[in-house]
Amino acid sequence: MPDNFLSIIMPFKNVENYIERCLNSLLNQTYNKFEIVILDDSDDNTPSVICSFNDDRIRYISYKGNISQKLNYGIKIAEHDLICRMDGDDFCDLNRFKKQIEVFKSDKYPVDVIGCNMIYVDCKGRQIINKKYPELHNDIAFYMPVFTSLPHATMFTLRRNIVNVGGYNEMCSGAEDLDLFLRMIDYGLKFYNLQDYLYYNTIIYDKFTISHSYNKLSYVIGNKYLEKTHKENPNFFHQKALLEYYKGNTNKSRYYFVKSFSNLEIKFFKFLRYYFVSLLGNRILKYLRNKQIATRVSFFVKRYFGVDTIFLKTK
């Protein structure tokens, strides 16, 4: 690692109700060698809240642009080579930086990109549910074309790992994390998720609802990657089936699930689970996805009954 300092890149807009909590969780970290690069184009009271902090580790920059443009600019002007992500409406455990840096220094895993598990909270900071992500690279790489299997906001990596793959694609803002991570995996970089719950993701209704345009863009990105790599990919049919099931066409998903089962890529009971649910059809599944019905039900059940449902499982 080139030096022991971090550059935390924070692009956001209109987070006046959350930014104080966010900055306090950063400024009080047990590891304090960092700068916070804020790229903001708010039209609410967010700048005033930030200016109330008297800490020279905060660099506030007024910058208009989409999230990919902000991220590329922040990485360009960052003073340090170790890049860390953070969203302005979230907060993190006070040991987050210490624990993620320890992974970089450790010889246990050869890793280039590090994330961690998350805890979903409501707008008042009350815990809703824990979200566990796959730990090791092979599992992360398997799910990445379907889901973003390393939480973007928890990312630690070196600047060169982003620059060497061309940075963030400024034409696909909204699925910029998926696009970047797939290019990183294709480049040969290794991913790892700490299994500690170090990041608190605030569920805001407008932010939480996944738009049709996002699903469409992430589907195109994931499908393009799978088609590009299918010749050397032993899990191609299984991944295509999952991508079609969650973001595409259910008829296609059934075809690919049969192919994946025939090729021994998927176990029998998992095959049956997906196959029969896909019989609901595109219209019903599309409605459930766009309204996030399954995830909302899962959050409700977990919060009030303490029970996980199958909708939260990624495997």
Side-chain angles (χ1 to χ4, degrees):
M1 192 164 62
D3 63 36
N4 292 321
F5 285 81
L6 321 174
S7 288
I8 306 161
I9 311 299
M10 294 181 59
F12 53 68
K13 180 176 182 177
N14 296 343
V15 291
E16 64 175 322
N17 294 327
Y18 310 99
I19 189 60
E20 181 178 1
R21 180 183 66 184
C22 173
L23 290 176
N24 280 328
S25 77
L26 298 179
L27 296 173
N28 292 302
Q29 288 283 311
T30 54
Y31 187 93
N32 59 13
K33 298 177 181 179
F34 57 79
E35 64 167 350
I36 303 173
V37 182
I38 293 174
L39 300 116
D40 174 40
D41 59 341
S42 295
D43 50 24
D44 64 0
N45 199 42
T46 298
S48 297
V49 177
I50 296 171
C51 289
S52 69
F53 284 83
N54 184 21
D55 194 306
D56 59 10
R57 290 176 292 178
I58 298 176
R59 295 173 59 190
Y60 179 82
I61 300 164
S62 178
Y63 188 94
K64 292 188 180 296
N66 63 40
I67 188 171
S68 297
Q69 292 168 334
K70 289 177 179 177
L71 287 166
N72 282 336
Y73 184 71
I75 291 165
K76 179 181 178 180
I77 66 171
E79 293 183 356
H80 308 294
D81 289 326
L82 184 55
I83 302 298
C84 169
R85 275 283 289 115
M86 185 76 195
D87 285 338
D89 48 7
D90 299 333
F91 59 103
C92 55
D93 185 278
L94 298 184
N95 289 310
R96 177 195 168 192
F97 294 168
K98 176 184 177 183
K99 290 186 175 183
Q100 289 189 286
I101 286 175
E102 285 174 352
V103 176
F104 261 110
K105 293 181 177 180
S106 171
D107 294 329
K108 185 177 181 180
Y109 301 111
V111 296
D112 303 293
V113 185
I114 297 174
C116 64
N117 287 334
M118 297 198 309
I119 298 173
Y120 287 106
V121 298
D122 64 18
C123 293
K124 295 183 179 180
R126 296 174 299 191
Q127 182 173 340
I128 301 174
I129 197 166
N130 294 356
K131 175 64 177 177
K132 183 176 182 180
Y133 288 83
E135 179 180 10
L136 301 179
H137 175 79
N138 286 345
D139 291 329
I140 295 171
F142 174 84
Y143 285 107
M144 190 64 76
V146 184
F147 306 106
T148 306
S149 48
L150 183 144
H152 186 213
T154 72
M155 181 187 76
F156 265 54
T157 192
L158 293 173
R159 186 204 314 263
R160 65 171 177 263
N161 292 335
I162 300 174
V163 173
N164 286 347
V165 299
Y168 288 91
N169 185 342
E170 297 181 0
M171 300 302 293
C172 69
S173 182
E176 73 288 337
D177 50 352
L178 177 63
D179 177 79
L180 176 72
F181 288 162
L182 287 174
R183 283 185 282 122
M184 285 177 151
I185 290 170
D186 195 38
Y187 191 76
L189 300 180
K190 300 299 182 183
F191 283 58
Y192 179 78
N193 277 316
L194 267 169
Q195 294 302 285
D196 296 331
Y197 293 88
L198 304 175
Y199 194 94
Y200 294 81
N201 183 279
T202 304
I203 299 301
I204 304 170
Y205 181 78
D206 291 338
K207 170 184 169 183
F208 187 52
T209 300
I210 298 179
S211 68
H212 174 71
S213 60
Y214 171 80
N215 270 338
K216 184 177 180 180
L217 179 57
S218 61
Y219 169 81
V220 170
I221 293 170
N223 192 58
K224 182 178 179 180
Y225 173 80
L226 289 177
E227 292 295 336
K228 175 184 175 182
T229 60
H230 80 278
K231 290 184 179 179
E232 63 272 14
N233 183 359
N235 296 305
F236 172 75
F237 293 116
H238 189 182
Q239 289 174 295
K240 281 281 286 186
L242 291 172
L243 182 61
E244 294 293 345
Y245 178 86
Y246 285 106
K247 297 179 179 177
N249 183 283
T250 54
N251 292 328
K252 289 183 179 180
S253 76
R254 287 196 297 277
Y255 168 78
Y256 285 114
F257 276 125
V258 170
K259 294 285 287 186
S260 66
F261 180 66
S262 300
N263 285 12
L264 304 179
E265 296 177 25
I266 187 173
K267 294 181 179 179
F268 178 67
F269 289 107
K270 185 180 290 186
F271 161 72
L272 288 181
R273 170 193 164 193
Y274 284 111
Y275 187 88
F276 284 116
V277 174
S278 73
L279 294 174
L280 291 173
N282 279 321
R283 182 173 297 180
I284 294 176
L285 285 180
K286 182 179 178 180
Y287 177 82
L288 294 174
R289 293 179 197 134
N290 288 343
K291 296 297 183 180
Q292 288 286 280
I293 300 298
T295 307
R296 292 175 189 277
V297 168
S298 298
F299 283 170
F300 178 84
V301 170
K302 175 64 177 180
R303 179 173 177 181
Y304 292 101
F305 299 99
V307 178
D308 287 325
T309 76
I310 63 170
F311 302 120
L312 288 174
K313 296 180 180 179
T314 56
K315 294 188 179 183

